[in-house]
Amino acid sequence: MKVHELAKRVGVTPHVVRHYVRIGLLTPTRRTENGYREFSEADVRRLLFIRRAQRLGFTLAEVTEIISTGMRGQTPCPLVRDIIERHVVDSERELLALVALRSTMQRALAQWQHMPDQLPNGDSICHLIESVDDL
């Protein structure tokens, strides 16, 4: 099947397929005489694997490492667990930072409710933002 057919089967754009070919995650089975890339059912499975891994939060670099490990005949499962554990820790840290930011924004909104609008002057651009260090 050609790029467009593969893309349609998996539900991605042809651009995504071409990008994965460019970075080495997909390798066309062959090229036709007129230069079209042809893909097999194995490529469909590979592309589905890549998309599942991305939905789990794996980066393309991590997916490449996982696939390479498997292609060397080694199990990638310990690597997959390690990566996911790191992602869980990182996402927890990011979530806490977002909750703190939301709290700061809510306090700012509450404070700004009673502050009048002002035009910028030589000393101030936006007094609302400039008052934030009081939060």
Side-chain angles (χ1 to χ4, degrees), residues 79-98:
L79 173 63
V80 167
R81 285 185 189 99
D82 288 345
I83 293 170
I84 282 292
E85 285 175 8
R86 281 196 315 266
H87 283 296
V88 167
V89 169
D90 292 345
S91 65
E92 183 67 27
R93 189 178 323 112
E94 291 170 14
L95 180 60
L96 291 172
L98 282 172

Side-chain angles (χ1 to χ4, degrees), residues 29-46:
T29 308
R30 69 182 193 98
R31 278 197 182 256
T32 62
E33 286 180 22
N34 55 4
Y36 288 114
R37 297 176 179 111
E38 289 199 345
F39 298 90
S40 67
E41 288 299 317
D43 296 312
V44 171
R45 290 188 299 276
R46 167 76 63 98

Side-chain angles (χ1 to χ4, degrees), residues 94-112 131-135:
E94 291 170 14
L95 180 60
L96 291 172
L98 282 172
V99 168
L101 176 59
R102 181 187 65 190
S103 178
T104 299
M105 291 187 296
Q106 289 171 330
R107 286 193 313 273
L109 274 175
Q111 178 181 327
W112 295 345
S131 71
V132 167
D133 40 309
D134 301 332
L135 298 176

Side-chain angles (χ1 to χ4, degrees), residues 2-3 8 14 26 38 47 49 53 59 61 64 69 85 93-94 96 99 104 109-110 114-115 121 133:
K2 294 181 179 69
V3 169
K8 186 175 182 178
L26 283 175
E38 289 199 345
L47 187 50
F49 175 85
T59 66
T64 300
T69 300
E85 285 175 8
R93 189 178 323 112
E94 291 170 14
L96 291 172
V99 168
T104 299
L109 274 175
H114 307 291
M115 294 176 72
N121 60 35
D133 40 309

